[in-house]
Amino acid sequence: MALPEWPLAMETRVISRADAHKFAREAYDLGIRYIGGCCGFEPYHIRAIAEELSKERGFRPRGHTKNALWGDALAESTVLEDHHKANKEYWTKLNPATGRANAARLATLEEDYI
């Protein structure tokens, strides 16, 4: 697909698995040690949290051999245009479209919105 959000940032929930990775890292870096979700969280969100913090936890979650981190499997995609998406940097810098005006402003704090 030609959409930059495909496949990991087009999930139908409020946050994608890439967002869950970012959420876990930011929360951990703030000193939070009990991280989870509530309504709307799916198993892949919990896995994203566990994968993001696997170094701090000392191990990857069970079943990790079935799951490639940060779209690593896209490196082997038959769609050559997707190969550049197979890395953490691509997914952490992506600001997925929401269909709402000024969506980028929703993702960052700006002085005039504080």
Side-chain angles (χ1 to χ4, degrees), residues 65-78:
T65 56
K66 300 176 186 177
N67 185 50
L69 291 174
W70 294 105
D72 289 346
L74 291 171
E76 299 176 24
S77 173
T78 57

Side-chain angles (χ1 to χ4, degrees), residues 70-102:
W70 294 105
D72 289 346
L74 291 171
E76 299 176 24
S77 173
T78 57
V79 181
L80 298 178
E81 295 83 20
D82 289 336
H83 288 199
H84 73 283
K85 299 178 184 180
N87 62 77
K88 182 176 182 175
E89 182 180 15
Y90 178 86
W91 295 104
T92 55
K93 291 185 176 185
L94 179 69
N95 185 14
T98 64
R100 292 177 275 173
N102 302 318

Side-chain angles (χ1 to χ4, degrees), residues 5 7-27 35-49 91 94-98 100 106-107:
E5 295 90 351
L8 300 180
M10 290 188 72
E11 295 153 342
T12 58
R13 296 292 178 188
V14 173
I15 68 170
S16 68
R17 69 188 76 204
D19 293 327
H21 274 276
K22 291 186 232 179
F23 166 74
R25 176 56 49 205
E26 290 173 12
I35 303 169
C38 191
C39 301
F41 250 57
E42 295 287 342
Y44 62 81
H45 291 118
I46 300 301
R47 173 173 290 286
I49 292 170
W91 295 104
L94 179 69
N95 185 14
T98 64
R100 292 177 275 173
L106 298 174

